[in-house]
Amino acid sequence: MTRPDLTTHIGPLTLKNPVMTASGTFGYGLEFAPLLDLHALGAVVVKGLTLAPRRGNPPPRVVETASGLLNAIGLENPGVESFLKEILPQLEKYAVPVIVNISGNTLDEYALLAARLNDTAVSAVEVNISCPNVKQGGLVFGTVPEQAAEVVAAVRANTSLPVIVKLSPNVTDIVGIARSVAAAGADALSLINTLLGMAIDIKRRRPVLGNVFGGLSGPAVKPVAIRMVWQVSQAVDIPVIGMGGIVSTEDALEFIMAGATAVAVGTGNFINPQATVEIIKGLEEYCIKENIAKIDDLVGIAWKDGQNGK
Amino acid sequence: MTRPDLTTHIGPLTLKNPVMTASGTFGYGLEFAPLLDLHALGAVVVKGLTLAPRRGNPPPRVVETASGLLNAIGLENPGVESFLKEILPQLEKYAVPVIVNISGNTLDEYALLAARLNDTAVSAVEVNISCPNVKQGGLVFGTVPEQAAEVVAAVRANTSLPVIVKLSPNVTDIVGIARSVAAAGADALSLINTLLGMAIDIKRRRPVLGNVFGGLSGPAVKPVAIRMVWQVSQAVDIPVIGMGGIVSTEDALEFIMAGATAVAVGTGNFINPQATVEIIKGLEEYCIKENIAKIDDLVGIAWKDGQNGK
Amino acid sequence: MQRQYVEIKNLKQLTGRYYLLTLAAPLVARSVKPGQFVQLKVSAQLDPLLRRPFSIHDWCDAQGNVEILFQVRGKGTRLLADRKQGDYLDMLGPLGNGFSIPRAPGKALLIGGGIGAAPLWGLAKSLHARNWQVTVLLGGAGEQFLVRPEEFSRWGRTIITTDDGSRGISGRVTEALPLVAAQEFDQIYACGPKPMLAAIYDWARITGLPLQVSLDEVMACGMGVCLGCAHPVRKGKETVYAKVCSQGPVFDAREVVWHDQA
Amino acid sequence: MQRQYVEIKNLKQLTGRYYLLTLAAPLVARSVKPGQFVQLKVSAQLDPLLRRPFSIHDWCDAQGNVEILFQVRGKGTRLLADRKQGDYLDMLGPLGNGFSIPRAPGKALLIGGGIGAAPLWGLAKSLHARNWQVTVLLGGAGEQFLVRPEEFSRWGRTIITTDDGSRGISGRVTEALPLVAAQEFDQIYACGPKPMLAAIYDWARITGLPLQVSLDEVMACGMGVCLGCAHPVRKGKETVYAKVCSQGPVFDAREVVWHDQA
Ligand SMILES: Cc1cc2nc3c(=O)[nH]c(=O)nc-3n(C[C@H](O)[C@H](O)[C@H](O)COP(=O)(O)OP(=O)(O)OC[C@H]3O[C@@H](n4cnc5c(N)ncnc54)[C@H](O)[C@@H]3O)c2cc1C
Ligand SMILES: Cc1cc2nc3c(=O)[nH]c(=O)nc-3n(C[C@H](O)[C@H](O)[C@H](O)COP(=O)(O)OP(=O)(O)OC[C@H]3O[C@@H](n4cnc5c(N)ncnc54)[C@H](O)[C@@H]3O)c2cc1C
Ligand SMILES: Cc1cc2nc3c(=O)[nH]c(=O)nc-3n(C[C@H](O)[C@H](O)[C@H](O)COP(=O)(O)O)c2cc1C
Ligand SMILES: Cc1cc2nc3c(=O)[nH]c(=O)nc-3n(C[C@H](O)[C@H](O)[C@H](O)COP(=O)(O)O)c2cc1C
Ligand code: FES
Ligand code: FES
């Protein structure tokens, strides 16, 4: 059999394969250069950027849970200017699409970030809407369909880059958010971001994390992520990038069959820093073994075949 | 040191210790009689009952996930009449408080169930509001504060038993639901029920579960459960029964320190059917070692001590 | 039913994927019935989370031993295969109902497909001890998937089939059915993949002979409380769900709903 | 930095809770610096999920070996202690910056508390090889928490303290500081619990002598990408977070913010 076609389309963006990195778990990519060929990846999504530098939350910032990880990094990052000046030029050399994850606390911040990334070497923006809206008493943008849509519209109006919107799973109705965001002009959706969780240190009788709350990621959350990808991919017409607990080729296939056009490896990079490239190889081998010409043919096959699920 | 006082109050109900069983994971208790002394438990919460018998969902009904379990039993149960006639009389002999978990698809069903359990040997009702409201297009009662409150009011009006309300974690704002339910007359809250999830069988390229979706439980969900117990116990004045992934004494202590007045072991019973009694012993030993006279002194200590968390 | 920590007295690899595990469990050895099973905790960690069900393959009351014959299938059985003599395992059992053996001795046909033959060993031994005449049909995908092919003849005539023809008759175990005449037997027992059981039932029902099948459903608790192991069975005119763990795993094949999963 | 599967050449229990693990890792043995560490995957399952960081205790370029000295603390180290010779471990490393040794030989004081002395062994060896005169203060809660107390004197004068007085001077390792005069040394190195490090810094700062400390923060990635291992450090007038894994674990004690966690 000829080599299977792993090409993937995320809106106007074409990736050579569907495997990307999840924001905040792959640094700026450069750190992985000694361990893998960055050029082999579908795309590199970098750590979330904000307009100004952020120092992040007080430690402890991470704690392991059963098959999961709680993190409260607090969006530590050098700010968009420093990224563009010092990091992006190095990353450009690897000729891999770079997607920048952006976070803000006001609509203006999102708009300014989007505008600033326009006309750079960046391939797309991923809008993290799991941030508190300081003008609305800290309510998280991504939990209210109208506010989520406003963020997306603000970004859309300020960039010609493909706009990927990253959804928060901490909502009653993920489909409602997804529809609202799609209608506001998103080119694609990423899901899921982390589940809000916490842990208590029974020795200190206090929360483990300096920030009290943290985001739960890793294999523990995969069933929730698969469910949301299944629901959302059937409800919207734009591609879904699936993530949440992917550590193996089998996990990636589950997401693809549930409806994800592409997948991202997050916490999995900490367990196996070569997980991304191993999964790309695994997907290729799977397609050969199962006689699948295009990986696209597998997208959503679990609901496309047979009767529609609930 | 004298024996620590493990007595726990769930509204008007006094339990000899804070360890109960989670509905649906302990059958009707009788099955465990060969393995442990039922009388030693704080309370037995039985499998969810409905008015009429229910045959449940098509198999497969369970699938293991990373440190978790997805189930889609579909509330299979013999119906309330059969329970009262055939099971309760046997259970009564063990002199352990029996709490009956009830589910309905309409307000009437909840009201009738509550009325039927009044004046029986049952010690309390636990209202499972994670059920679809058939009159509202299948929207889950427990995800809309007003509908959740209506269910509780209907139950409250029809029983003189203590009313425990079991919250669904699949919501944007657990505190809003908790407040609404407390205002409607709940004596206590149970949380969390399962997280909505699913899994794909990549060999069959179809969802694993006969019902497509299932509820995620077990250690994987503990960080989400602890977070919700922490939030809710600070927001309401009624006791919280914490559950979600408890398998050890340390887990139970985490919940208690996060604000749970009592705890329930669910999936943990499948891993170690003697988990409940081992945890009771473990809590007693912990109190002795740490010189704690009353287990109540530990409830919410993680937010009572030090400055309030977020 | 007991929960106890039992010592691994021996663990040996039989074929590429089959292992024989000998556990010191006198209480279980004394009371067990063929076809019953145990739930083993294969790891102290939280992944894999659940116990794994395994049929009791053999037992020896005198030595206080219980044997499990298992196939490495996924991560749980892999971990089990990596255990060492002297390790302890958390075991719950015996569970389930087991095969029933009619009081009056007669002729029994035992049909096992792949690892499904594991519980038939203890059954054959029990039948033999009660003066039954035993015939065994033992099938497998290939030679390495046959359960103790050399030794089964200890209990009676043994016919072997392999899908790939690497040993015995080439083909599925059901293709060997014409070699035996159903009406010769007083009782048929079968354990293996569901399509195999269904095919055997189709063959046996013609003669009206009693067929007991041991079903394999994914289990969580193993003791009848989670309702996770449901399999549809007929109850009068109705179809209801039976708990394979506590109402089975052995069922009268006539009660089982074979071709409908709902 | 490499990721590779390395064979366990030897694993032996030193004291009640300390184990010495010898790994076949020639590439790391060739390039490692004292104070660097590796991330080991202790289990193939998903719980425990993350790798565990361990300092490189010793190495031998000729034999291609790397040694880890570890304490059983929780489930991950328990699993590691249960591994057997011949098993393979997934190892990432070497990671971090390691201790820096000034070019001109002089006098070094090494202070280790409990398992914190593990990386000081390789440091002492390196210093010794570069003609430094080494003095070691080795402390532990009790005798069984001392890292190779008999052998450390191979590298220089070794003073031992135990909190419970079961060996050497009774008391904390910091209480032995008056036995040595700070100004005698050209360089001080310390590794152990944070309060110990802070106390040593308070003592050393008076003399203005350079103190290098190896910090221990909970880690996820170990390679500078998750920002999970933040520790506050001074950068000019500002307090910023440093990544203990990639900017450390060894820091100049003057840069570290000792008494403020925010
Ligand atoms: C009553 C009963 C008795 C059994 N007796 C034996 C026995 O004597 N010897 C033996 O080797 N096995 C027996 N099994 C099957 C055994 O329990 C499974 O092979 C085992 O649980 C697989 O665990 P794992 O972690 O290795 O596989 P997993 O990693 O959990 O799964 C690996 C693959 O095996 C499949 N699988 C998992 N569980 C089962 C199952 N119960 N049946 C079929 N496929 C499954 C999964 O879908 C997956 O594709 C029995 C099962 C039951 C219900
Ligand atoms: C750079 C670095 C080098 C290290 N070098 C060594 C070494 O050479 N030898 C050695 O034995 N250990 C070393 N450690 C500590 C070692 O990584 C932990 O003991 C180990 O990760 C614990 O894993 P566990 O699964 O056994 O414990 P867990 O089950 O994860 O936790 C058990 C208990 O230990 C505590 N704990 C977990 N991780 C740490 C940690 N990093 N520091 C302190 N307490 C912790 C937990 O809070 C918990 O109370 C080092 C740590 C770092 C960051
Ligand atoms: C340490 C850490 C940092 C993260 N930082 C970000 C971030 O900056 N922006 C963002 O949108 N998501 C962030 N995430 C979420 C991940 O991108 C991903 O959505 C989530 O972890 C689920 O995937 P996983 O289970 O594969 O990790 C972070 C996750 C982790 C574990
Ligand atoms: C197999 C199974 C059946 C359950 N059935 C019910 C039920 O009938 N009613 C209910 O309110 N909760 C039910 N639950 C939810 C549990 O009571 C509990 O809230 C949840 O599993 C989280 O706790 P755990 O992680 O300890 O299992 C069920 C859970 C499982 C695993
Ligand atoms: S496995 Fe739980 S009822 Fe059968
Ligand atoms: S552990 Fe990830 S940055 Fe240090």
Side-chain angles (χ1 to χ4, degrees):
Chain A
M1 185 179 163
T2 55
R3 254 181 115 173
D5 180 5
L6 297 187
T7 314
T8 300
H9 300 275
I10 300 296
L13 191 64
T14 301
L15 309 181
K16 70 168 91 60
N17 66 61
V19 181
M20 344 199 316
T21 64
S23 176
T25 66
F26 207 70
Y28 299 98
L30 303 167
E31 297 88 340
F32 284 80
L35 292 167
L36 53 86
D37 178 9
L38 289 174
H39 180 66
L41 302 177
V44 166
V45 182
V46 300
K47 172 71 192 164
L49 290 178
T50 50
L51 265 185
R54 283 184 57 147
R55 66 200 290 266
N57 288 329
R61 289 180 172 183
V62 287
V63 56
E64 191 184 80
T65 65
S67 299
L69 173 69
L70 272 172
N71 90 78
I73 307 303
L75 281 175
E76 176 178 336
N77 79 91
V80 68
E81 289 308 330
S82 165
F83 168 77
L84 290 175
K85 215 172 100 199
E86 278 147 44
I87 302 171
L88 190 59
Q90 294 181 64
L91 201 44
E92 269 183 71
K93 296 185 196 134
Y94 292 95
V96 59
V98 174
I99 298 176
V100 170
N101 179 278
I102 60 171
S103 293
N105 290 120
T106 62
L107 288 179
D108 277 355
E109 285 179 16
Y110 281 106
L112 288 168
L113 274 161
R116 185 64 190 89
L117 293 168
N118 228 351
D119 301 316
T120 64
V122 163
S123 295
V125 289
E126 181 183 61
V127 190
N128 176 6
I129 56 174
S130 300
C131 303
N133 181 343
V134 293
K135 297 217 171 132
Q136 298 284 327
L139 213 68
V140 174
F141 284 108
T143 60
V144 188
E146 297 72 30
Q147 290 192 23
E150 276 174 29
V151 173
V152 177
V155 171
R156 177 76 293 165
N158 283 281
T159 185
S160 55
L161 290 173
V163 175
I164 303 165
V165 181
K166 181 149 177 192
L167 305 188
S168 162
N170 302 297
V171 297
T172 309
D173 178 19
I174 192 77
V175 168
I177 304 273
R179 287 211 174 102
S180 165
V181 152
D187 292 299
L189 302 175
S190 279
L191 57 152
I192 60 173
N193 212 317
T194 54
L195 284 171
L196 192 60
M198 75 179 282
I200 306 283
D201 179 339
I202 60 172
K203 285 196 203 104
R204 289 173 44 242
R205 299 183 187 166
R206 290 284 304 140
V208 174
L209 297 173
N211 184 54
V212 179
F213 297 146
L216 183 65
S217 64
V221 309
K222 194 180 73 171
V224 174
I226 295 276
R227 184 262 294 182
M228 291 187 167
V229 166
W230 166 279
Q231 291 177 311
V232 168
S233 63
Q234 293 181 67
V236 298
D237 290 325
I238 54 177
V240 165
I241 304 165
M243 69 197 77
I246 297 178
V247 301
S248 68
T249 302
E250 288 72 26
D251 295 333
L253 284 167
E254 257 196 86
F255 274 91
I256 293 170
M257 291 180 184
T261 298
V263 295
V265 178
T267 306
N269 293 310
F270 306 156
I271 302 163
N272 174 7
Q274 292 162 332
T276 44
V277 286
E278 289 177 10
I279 290 171
I280 294 167
K281 193 155 158 275
L283 290 177
E284 181 160 339
E285 284 167 3
Y286 175 86
C287 288
I288 293 172
K289 205 175 104 236
E290 301 284 327
N291 219 29
I292 288 156
K294 305 204 309 286
I295 191 100
D296 250 0
D297 294 341
L298 286 176
V299 175
I301 199 166
W303 49 263
K304 282 182 187 157
D305 273 14
Q307 64 289 62
N308 246 32
K310 310 184 185 181
Chain B
M1 187 180 160
T2 56
R3 257 181 112 172
D5 180 7
L6 297 187
T7 315
T8 299
H9 300 275
I10 300 297
L13 190 65
T14 301
L15 309 180
K16 70 166 95 56
N17 65 61
V19 181
M20 341 198 320
T21 64
S23 177
T25 66
F26 206 70
Y28 300 98
L30 303 167
E31 298 88 340
F32 284 80
L35 292 168
L36 54 85
D37 178 9
L38 290 174
H39 179 65
L41 302 176
V44 166
V45 183
V46 299
K47 172 70 192 164
L49 290 177
T50 50
L51 265 186
R54 283 186 56 151
R55 66 199 291 268
N57 287 330
R61 289 180 173 183
V62 287
V63 57
E64 192 184 78
T65 65
S67 298
L69 173 70
L70 272 173
N71 89 80
I73 307 302
L75 281 176
E76 175 178 337
N77 79 92
V80 67
E81 290 307 329
S82 165
F83 169 76
L84 290 175
K85 215 172 101 199
E86 278 148 42
I87 302 170
L88 189 59
Q90 295 180 65
L91 200 45
E92 268 182 72
K93 296 185 198 137
Y94 292 95
V96 60
V98 174
I99 298 176
V100 170
N101 179 277
I102 59 172
S103 292
N105 289 122
T106 62
L107 289 180
D108 277 356
E109 284 179 15
Y110 281 106
L112 287 168
L113 274 161
R116 186 64 191 87
L117 294 168
N118 228 351
D119 300 317
T120 63
V122 163
S123 295
V125 290
E126 181 183 63
V127 190
N128 176 5
I129 56 174
S130 299
C131 304
N133 181 345
V134 293
K135 297 217 171 130
Q136 297 285 330
L139 213 67
V140 174
F141 284 107
T143 60
V144 188
E146 297 72 31
Q147 291 192 24
E150 275 173 28
V151 173
V152 177
V155 170
R156 178 78 291 166
N158 283 281
T159 185
S160 55
L161 291 173
V163 175
I164 303 166
V165 181
K166 181 150 177 191
L167 305 188
S168 162
N170 303 297
V171 296
T172 309
D173 178 18
I174 192 77
V175 167
I177 303 275
R179 287 211 175 102
S180 165
V181 153
D187 293 299
L189 302 174
S190 279
L191 55 152
I192 59 172
N193 212 318
T194 54
L195 284 171
L196 192 61
M198 75 180 283
I200 306 282
D201 179 340
I202 59 173
K203 286 198 201 102
R204 288 173 45 242
R205 298 182 189 168
R206 292 283 303 141
V208 174
L209 297 173
N211 184 54
V212 179
F213 295 146
L216 183 65
S217 64
V221 309
K222 193 180 72 170
V224 175
I226 295 277
R227 184 263 294 183
M228 290 187 168
V229 167
W230 166 279
Q231 292 177 311
V232 168
S233 64
Q234 293 181 71
V236 298
D237 289 325
I238 53 177
V240 165
I241 304 165
M243 70 197 76
I246 298 178
V247 300
S248 68
T249 303
E250 289 72 26
D251 295 331
L253 284 168
E254 257 196 88
F255 275 90
I256 293 170
M257 291 179 185
T261 299
V263 296
V265 179
T267 306
N269 293 308
F270 307 156
I271 302 162
N272 174 7
Q274 294 162 332
T276 45
V277 287
E278 289 177 9
I279 290 171
I280 293 166
K281 194 156 157 276
L283 290 177
E284 181 162 338
E285 285 167 3
Y286 175 86
C287 288
I288 293 171
K289 205 176 105 238
E290 300 286 326
N291 220 29
I292 287 156
K294 304 203 312 283
I295 191 102
D296 250 0
D297 294 342
L298 286 176
V299 175
I301 199 165
W303 49 263
K304 282 181 185 155
D305 273 14
Q307 63 287 58
N308 247 33
K310 314 189 184 176
Chain C
M1 176 183 38
Q2 307 242 341
R3 174 181 168 241
Q4 47 184 318
Y5 285 88
V6 297
E7 192 186 341
I8 298 181
K9 283 210 177 160
N10 196 32
L11 174 58
K12 78 166 179 244
Q13 190 165 6
L14 297 182
T15 69
R17 283 175 128 187
Y18 286 178
Y19 290 77
L20 186 64
L21 174 68
T22 308
L23 300 168
L27 292 173
V28 175
R30 191 168 311 151
S31 65
V32 69
K33 279 180 62 176
Q36 285 191 304
F37 68 99
V38 295
Q39 284 263 67
L40 293 179
K41 185 91 186 81
V42 292
S43 148
Q45 270 52 61
L46 298 171
D47 173 64
L49 185 68
L50 298 173
R51 288 168 185 266
R52 299 293 193 254
F54 297 99
S55 301
I56 292 172
H57 172 69
D58 200 356
W59 61 92
C60 173
D61 191 5
Q63 297 185 290
N65 284 352
V66 158
E67 290 188 340
I68 306 293
L69 197 151
F70 70 95
Q71 171 178 11
V72 171
R73 188 128 49 173
K75 56 185 172 183
T77 44
R78 178 74 262 154
L79 283 169
L80 194 58
D82 288 343
R83 290 305 191 96
K84 303 276 179 285
Q85 189 175 328
D87 285 358
Y88 278 75
L89 289 174
D90 180 344
M91 180 174 102
L92 182 70
L95 299 163
N97 57 1
F99 295 106
S100 71
I101 303 181
R103 203 168 287 264
K107 292 185 184 170
L109 175 65
L110 279 57
I111 313 173
I115 192 69
L120 299 184
W121 176 271
L123 173 64
K125 177 171 120 170
S126 297
L127 288 163
H128 188 261
R130 298 204 205 166
N131 298 315
W132 279 67
Q133 187 185 313
V134 173
T135 302
V136 181
L137 291 190
L138 206 61
E143 184 166 17
Q144 72 280 27
F145 291 100
L146 294 169
V147 166
R148 303 176 80 170
E150 278 84 15
E151 297 150 288
F152 244 112
S153 52
R154 190 185 299 174
W155 313 120
R157 178 184 173 211
T158 300
I159 301 168
I160 286 171
T161 69
T162 52
D163 300 359
D164 65 2
S166 52
R167 181 157 180 165
I169 296 160
S170 178
R172 308 202 156 218
V173 70
T174 43
E175 285 163 42
L177 289 175
L179 297 184
V180 294
Q183 55 280 11
E184 266 182 35
F185 298 99
D186 301 295
Q187 179 68 50
I188 309 176
Y189 300 95
C191 184
K194 210 171 286 175
M196 171 193 121
L197 298 181
I200 293 168
Y201 177 57
D202 285 342
W203 171 80
R205 74 205 290 195
I206 304 169
T207 63
L209 270 180
L211 167 63
Q212 294 179 35
V213 293
S214 180
L215 297 183
D216 176 3
E217 265 305 327
V218 176
M219 294 183 176
C221 71
M223 51 183 278
V225 299
C226 74
L227 311 179
C229 59
H231 195 283
V233 298
R234 246 178 284 281
K235 194 176 160 188
K237 289 228 148 119
E238 260 188 300
T239 296
V240 298
Y241 288 116
K243 293 177 261 191
V244 171
C245 68
S246 57
Q247 297 172 260
V250 179
F251 291 90
D252 180 331
R254 284 168 304 190
E255 285 172 13
V256 175
V257 176
W258 288 106
H259 301 288
D260 166 13
Q261 284 283 307
Chain D
M1 177 182 40
Q2 308 242 341
R3 175 182 167 239
Q4 47 182 322
Y5 285 89
V6 296
E7 190 185 343
I8 298 181
K9 284 211 179 156
N10 196 32
L11 175 57
K12 81 167 179 246
Q13 190 166 6
L14 297 181
T15 70
R17 282 174 129 187
Y18 286 177
Y19 289 77
L20 186 65
L21 175 67
T22 308
L23 299 168
L27 292 174
V28 175
R30 189 167 314 151
S31 65
V32 71
K33 280 181 62 179
Q36 285 191 304
F37 67 100
V38 295
Q39 284 263 65
L40 293 179
K41 184 94 185 83
V42 292
S43 150
Q45 271 52 60
L46 298 171
D47 173 65
L49 185 68
L50 299 172
R51 288 169 186 265
R52 298 293 192 256
F54 297 98
S55 301
I56 292 172
H57 171 69
D58 200 356
W59 60 93
C60 173
D61 190 6
Q63 298 184 290
N65 285 353
V66 159
E67 289 188 340
I68 305 293
L69 196 151
F70 70 95
Q71 171 178 11
V72 171
R73 186 126 52 172
K75 56 186 173 183
T77 44
R78 178 74 263 155
L79 283 168
L80 194 58
D82 288 342
R83 290 306 191 93
K84 304 272 178 287
Q85 188 176 330
D87 286 356
Y88 278 75
L89 289 174
D90 179 344
M91 181 174 102
L92 181 71
L95 300 163
N97 57 0
F99 295 105
S100 71
I101 303 182
R103 204 168 285 264
K107 292 184 185 172
L109 175 64
L110 279 58
I111 313 174
I115 191 69
L120 298 185
W121 176 271
L123 173 65
K125 178 172 121 169
S126 297
L127 287 164
H128 188 260
R130 299 204 205 166
N131 298 315
W132 280 68
Q133 186 185 317
V134 173
T135 302
V136 181
L137 291 191
L138 207 60
E143 185 166 18
Q144 73 278 28
F145 292 99
L146 293 169
V147 167
R148 304 177 80 171
E150 278 83 14
E151 298 151 286
F152 244 112
S153 52
R154 190 184 299 172
W155 314 120
R157 176 183 174 212
T158 300
I159 301 169
I160 287 172
T161 69
T162 53
D163 299 0
D164 66 1
S166 53
R167 183 160 180 161
I169 296 162
S170 178
R172 309 200 156 218
V173 71
T174 42
E175 285 164 41
L177 289 175
L179 296 183
V180 295
Q183 55 281 14
E184 268 183 32
F185 298 100
D186 301 294
Q187 180 68 51
I188 309 177
Y189 300 95
C191 184
K194 211 171 287 175
M196 172 193 121
L197 298 180
I200 293 168
Y201 177 57
D202 285 342
W203 171 80
R205 74 204 291 193
I206 303 170
T207 64
L209 271 179
L211 167 64
Q212 294 178 35
V213 293
S214 180
L215 298 183
D216 176 2
E217 265 306 326
V218 176
M219 294 185 174
C221 72
M223 49 183 280
V225 298
C226 75
L227 311 179
C229 59
H231 195 285
V233 298
R234 245 178 286 280
K235 194 175 162 191
K237 291 227 150 124
E238 261 187 301
T239 296
V240 298
Y241 288 115
K243 294 178 259 189
V244 170
C245 67
S246 57
Q247 297 171 258
V250 179
F251 291 89
D252 181 329
R254 284 167 304 191
E255 286 172 12
V256 175
V257 176
W258 288 107
H259 303 287
D260 167 13
Q261 284 283 304

